[in-house]
Amino acid sequence: MASDERRRVDTAPIVVYGWAQASVSLYFDGLPEDLRRRLLFLSPGSRRRDLAVLATAALVVIVRDFERCARGGVLTALGALGVPFAWFVDDDLTALAREAPGMAYYTHARVAAFARRACAIIVTSPSLGRSLGGLGTPVILWPCVFDASLAAPPSPEDGVFRIGAFGGEFRRSAFGACVLPAIEALANVRPVVVFATESLAAASTRVPVISAPFDLDFYRFVGTWRGFGLNVVVHPHGETSNIGAKSPASLLVTRYLGAAAVVGDEPAFADVPVDSGVLKMGRDPQSWLNALHSLAAPGKSGQAFDRLDQWARRVFDPQNARSPFATLAARGASRYDGASVSATLRWVARRRAARDEDG
């Protein structure tokens, strides 16, 4: 291949192919600007439009659910174009397939076959990396990245203690058994308002729980939930075989909402230290009541938030993403080899060169 075409490959974008949800925003939006400029974000649309963009990529990062790409011919087209792809995943999809009918497509056989075609698997927790590492594809551990544009101040204290819970259905059991009894007891001694996602708000309680939307658009979600003025976010234990694959991303979300964090003591938070301000609770209502009661004291939720803020800025420092980004970019260089035998890509390159020459 001519050196001019190699330079085109080296300067082509890395296309992040997936919807603008938390799975993308928490790991890519806060990247250092020089790295962010190398990315192009593409939400799935029509196959013709998508392939026109994907054909220009040095590498495509397919986000989470790949069924659409497999069934719609996108993977076949990328192979014909000589464009390598990596798979970004923040959950164990085979574990979810055993629990959620909507995820039934993700059998071990399908995930393994897909992973073998990828040039890398990008994971968000060491345990998920260990789970997928046996599939034979290189694994890249990718950190959450602190996005300074979402760094709002702590919520004010105005005499009403505001509690939020944005967890999914798999946290409902612990929310009802451990958290709500604690909130009910706290409500006997001070004004409390509770906001929760629909699946959690349905749990039975004597305290009114305001059902709040979980917007799939991450920036809209943060904007809406920040408006609730939460003093604390509760994140109870999850009942799912996928729990070990979780990252501490919920703590970064909590920081964006201006709140302190009280969480179930589960694998994602095992390495979170005491000085982070994060309170890790057992499976009994009394421990949750003690935590909430302590944070409801004047100034305490703000102090816990400040410690969470300092910890999150350090642990999720965008500079930490430079090494995994470099590893990923190096995988994109394999396009050079694939392109040398791809008649389709050579045709695309000639069309692009002619367009550039025409001005």
Side-chain angles (χ1 to χ4, degrees), residues 219-240:
Y219 280 83
R220 287 202 303 260
F221 164 80
V222 170
T224 298
W225 280 66
R226 189 182 287 161
F228 300 151
L230 301 177
N231 302 112
V232 63
V233 164
V234 293
H235 205 60
H237 305 81
E239 301 295 337
T240 171

Side-chain angles (χ1 to χ4, degrees), residues 157 161 186 190 291-301:
E157 299 178 12
F161 194 58
L186 183 65
R190 64 165 302 139
L292 294 176
H293 192 270
S294 68
L295 291 173
K300 292 299 183 180
S301 65

Side-chain angles (χ1 to χ4, degrees), residues 18-322:
W19 283 274
Q21 300 176 5
S23 293
V24 170
S25 296
L26 286 166
Y27 298 94
F28 293 100
D29 284 349
L31 287 172
E33 183 56 31
D34 61 314
L35 303 186
R36 188 74 158 67
R37 285 196 300 268
R38 298 182 64 183
L39 300 179
L40 189 157
F41 294 88
L42 177 65
S43 294
S46 72
R47 183 174 182 273
R48 176 177 294 182
R49 186 216 65 171
D50 290 359
L51 288 178
V53 176
L54 299 177
T56 69
L59 180 145
V60 174
V61 176
I62 296 175
V63 177
R64 278 183 60 91
D65 305 351
F66 58 82
E67 180 179 4
R68 186 177 187 274
C69 293
R71 294 189 185 278
V74 171
L75 299 185
T76 300
L78 291 177
L81 290 166
V83 179
F85 72 86
W87 180 33
F88 174 89
V89 63
D90 56 355
D91 280 311
D92 184 340
L93 299 192
T94 58
L96 293 179
R98 295 190 294 268
E99 301 175 357
M103 300 295 289
Y105 175 84
Y106 296 96
T107 62
H108 176 79
R110 286 197 178 106
V111 168
F114 174 74
R116 284 194 293 269
R117 298 176 67 178
C119 67
I121 304 174
I122 307 167
V123 300
T124 56
S125 71
S127 59
L128 184 56
R130 289 190 293 271
S131 176
L132 297 176
L135 298 179
T137 300
V139 171
I140 301 172
L141 179 60
W142 200 278
C144 288
V145 180
F146 192 95
D147 186 348
S149 71
L150 294 177
S155 300
E157 299 178 12
D158 60 5
V160 177
F161 194 58
R162 295 179 172 84
I163 301 170
F166 54 70
E169 173 71 28
F170 63 99
R171 299 189 186 276
R172 182 176 174 179
S173 176
F175 184 67
C178 301
V179 180
L180 286 180
I183 292 174
E184 290 172 351
L186 183 65
N188 290 329
V189 297
R190 64 165 302 139
V192 173
V193 175
V194 182
F195 299 85
T197 52
E198 182 179 0
S199 58
L200 298 183
S204 177
T205 176
R206 298 194 309 271
V207 176
V209 178
I210 299 171
S211 181
F214 189 93
D215 198 316
L216 292 178
D217 183 292
F218 186 65
Y219 280 83
R220 287 202 303 260
F221 164 80
V222 170
T224 298
W225 280 66
R226 189 182 287 161
F228 300 151
L230 301 177
N231 302 112
V232 63
V233 164
V234 293
H235 205 60
H237 305 81
E239 301 295 337
T240 171
S241 58
N242 177 54
I243 200 67
K246 292 290 185 181
S247 81
S250 58
L251 296 180
L252 183 54
V253 177
T254 299
R255 188 268 164 258
Y256 289 157
L257 299 184
V262 184
V263 302
D265 191 1
E266 59 188 41
F269 312 121
D271 296 329
V272 178
V274 174
D275 63 5
S276 67
V278 177
L279 300 180
K280 292 185 277 189
M281 298 296 104
R283 295 177 178 269
D284 60 292
Q286 187 61 49
S287 69
W288 287 85
L289 175 58
N290 294 343
L292 294 176
H293 192 270
S294 68
L295 291 173
K300 292 299 183 180
S301 65
Q303 292 173 14
F305 168 84
D306 288 342
R307 292 196 294 272
L308 173 61
D309 175 60
Q310 294 167 17
W311 176 82
R313 289 177 184 272
R314 182 178 70 255
V315 173
F316 304 135
D317 185 338
Q319 299 302 323
N320 295 340
R322 287 194 177 277

